[in-house]
Amino acid sequence: MIIKKNDTQIVSVNMYLIDHVKMLMRSLLSMPRFAKQIIVILLDVSLCIFTTWISLCLRIGEIVNFTESELLAVLLSILLVIPIFKTFGLYKELFRYSGWPTMFVIFKAVTVYGILYSSIILAIQIDGIPRTVGVIQPLLFLLSVGASRFIARYLLTGLNKDNTSTGTLPKALIYGAGSAGRQLVSALDNSHEMSVVGFLDDDIRLNGHVLNGKAIFSPDDLPIIIDLKGVTHVLLAIPSASRCRRNEIIKNISKYHVAVRTLPSVTDLAEGRVTISDLCDLDVDDLLGRDTVLPNHLLLSKISKSKIVLVTGAGGSIGSELCRQIIKFSPKIILLVEICEYFLYLINSELEIYNDKCNKTEIIPLLASVQDEERIREIIDIWKPDIIYHAAAYKHVPLVEQNIAEGVKNNVFGTLNIAKLAIEYSVHEFILISTDKAVRPTNVMGASKRLSEMCLQALFDKDKSKTKFSMVRFGNVLDSSGSVIPKFRKQIREGGPVTLTHSEITRYFMTIPEAAQLVIQAGAMSKGGDVFVLDMGEPVKIFDLAKKMIELSGLKLRDASNPDGDIEIVITGLRPGEKLYEELLLGDNPQPTLHSKIYKAQDHFINWSALETNLNVLDILIKHNNVEVILAILRKLVPEFTPDLMLSDIIFTKQVRLIENI
């Protein structure tokens, strides 16, 4: 193709003009809001003058010059337009976010203006101004104002986009052509990061129609649309869909290797602040395909309303959520006991904000270790709590394996410290947060938690004290510290690989709010010495979860059958003390409770006199870091405990090496 010199010059001039228009638009965007409003008002004044003149020319049939009469008609137009537009909020509207809703507001404002303008023209009968100008001018003004807003929006958004890169933007389909979907497409029209190519909707009556300039397709056409339009993302805009229906939709989409995201908040949509990063990852319930266990609100409110509540480990994943749930039911005082200053600061700040808005619970942040008996005594003695939720514990399996003495000291003797003080000060309720790893444990963390349960069972059995001890046992908590889902998400974002300890490893899962609500409800049902467990449905195979997360990120699993895939799953081997699967019950005879999803376990325990003797020995062994004998005592007290034969304790192994080198 031969390009003539004149053509080249024309192209250069066009590029020059486009660049200068872009620079002008950026300058306008950077101006203060007041200056922008002045510019818009001046634009509307100009349109008043122009449309009045045009309407006179059209009515009279010739070019007219402005005389005193014509100027009076223009002045009347300006004096009506400015206050009416201001009343309708049109000078607060941002042009780059304007659309059909703004056009509707303009229509209403100009209708009011037109009625007033034509009425006044008819009433005062200005010499030289035909009465039909009162009809023609508002119609022309409506068209010119609408056109000015659309042109400004195009210049501020469309022209401001890099025209050379729009073809490379991620292509998205919005699943759901309802109000949420319409909001989302309007918001993303202002984004320079993603291009919406259409809607998907289950309603067959909508298929083939066009909404906001985007075609509506059937979900059955998804593979064809992906191929034709190069779709890389599907954005879920179906907030009213049931969990079951969402799971069906996600399962269907996951076949096609597109990234699935869900709707951001309505506030961000309304304010036009949506970018790719604002579109959320699927929540954990979507990933697991399970229904949330609904709480019994009578049980939730029964235990803490108007009470003094103490939460240990108040800054941790479970402890902090317990505090969030408890404060909703207006306890008199909530005592936040936490050893980590930063975590205590975070949960205290969050609760204070909630408290200022909703109620007047007294919130008291207390730095303390559960191992410090005197500090805990001071706290309980001063405030006399009615209920203690004991969430403080070392829970990370490999770390406790590497620090055996400290893990047992904190989990067992920290619990024992608070339990004995609860009895001494007649605390009404004591609820221990336990774990499924306490059932037939293969690690010190699980064994120490099972021993903690046994201590509380034995203390209650010893003299049937006024303190009702109960234990709540549940599986892995999603999005808590150490949870696999945030770890997998991070690894996928970084391009992999996704690391997994074993291809057959399975786990029970629940969300943090579910876990906290379970603890509160179980405490409300306790008669003393009870171990509560949750019916958590079927366990999840972690390999399948990792594979699903890769696919729903729009990527392909790289393995032997697909060497050109995007993300590989690497098996690293089981960590010390890690089990392939977890259990919730020692026996096979769980008892039902008032909550259909909460059961009571019937687990054995040792009487207090026998247990106390062994605990005294264990305490001495901890002080000398004699981990081999500590493990022997744990095996004796928790017969189901089957520890790893290879000791991982850091200090012990270091001491052994030092001795060997002598």
Side-chain angles (χ1 to χ4, degrees), residues 218-381:
S218 166
D220 295 335
D221 299 328
L222 181 58
I224 300 170
I225 304 164
I226 290 171
D227 289 339
L228 288 177
K229 295 186 177 289
V231 172
T232 58
H233 289 70
V234 174
L235 313 178
L236 300 184
I238 44 173
S240 61
S242 67
R243 174 64 59 193
C244 181
R245 181 60 191 140
R246 283 177 69 89
N247 291 338
E248 289 176 8
I249 291 168
I250 291 165
K251 185 177 180 181
N252 183 51
I253 296 172
S254 65
K255 303 173 188 174
Y256 304 113
H257 301 293
V258 290
V260 183
R261 298 288 182 270
T262 193
L263 189 68
S265 72
V266 175
T267 302
D268 284 343
L269 287 171
E271 295 181 5
R273 295 197 308 256
V274 176
T275 65
I276 290 175
S277 60
D278 293 318
L279 294 165
C280 313
D281 287 321
L282 294 174
D283 64 36
V284 291
D285 291 324
D286 287 328
L287 292 172
L288 296 176
R290 67 185 285 270
D291 290 322
T292 300
V293 177
L294 297 176
N296 181 326
H297 288 282
L298 289 175
L299 290 174
L300 279 177
S301 60
K302 176 183 174 184
I303 193 167
S304 59
K305 190 172 181 63
S306 303
K307 302 285 182 62
I308 300 172
V309 182
L310 185 152
V311 181
T312 69
S317 302
I318 297 298
S320 60
E321 184 62 30
L322 274 171
C323 296
R324 294 183 195 103
Q325 299 287 343
I326 291 165
I327 201 169
K328 292 177 184 176
F329 298 99
S330 304
K332 182 180 177 182
I333 300 172
I334 184 166
L335 305 166
L336 312 177
V337 175
E338 172 61 55
I339 193 172
C340 175
E341 178 192 28
Y342 178 63
F343 288 163
L344 181 60
Y345 163 76
L346 289 179
I347 187 60
N348 182 60
S349 301
E350 182 181 337
L351 296 182
E352 289 287 1
I353 292 169
Y354 178 88
N355 207 34
D356 291 341
K357 293 178 181 177
C358 301
N359 55 37
K360 295 300 176 187
T361 296
E362 186 179 357
I363 302 168
I364 301 173
L366 297 160
L367 281 168
S369 167
V370 294
Q371 297 180 39
D372 187 343
E373 183 181 348
E374 289 310 309
R375 174 68 169 163
I376 299 299
R377 179 184 294 277
E378 281 180 341
I379 292 168
I380 294 177
D381 183 49

Side-chain angles (χ1 to χ4, degrees), residues 413 416 419-420 423 451-452 454-463 605-616:
F413 290 95
L416 208 52
K420 288 180 177 179
I423 293 172
L451 185 53
S452 299
M454 294 170 69
C455 288
L456 299 190
Q457 290 173 299
L459 282 171
F460 181 76
D461 181 69
K462 172 173 163 262
D463 52 11
F605 60 91
I606 302 170
N607 67 65
W608 177 250
S609 58
L611 188 60
E612 186 177 29
T613 302
N614 286 283
L615 289 172
N616 290 335

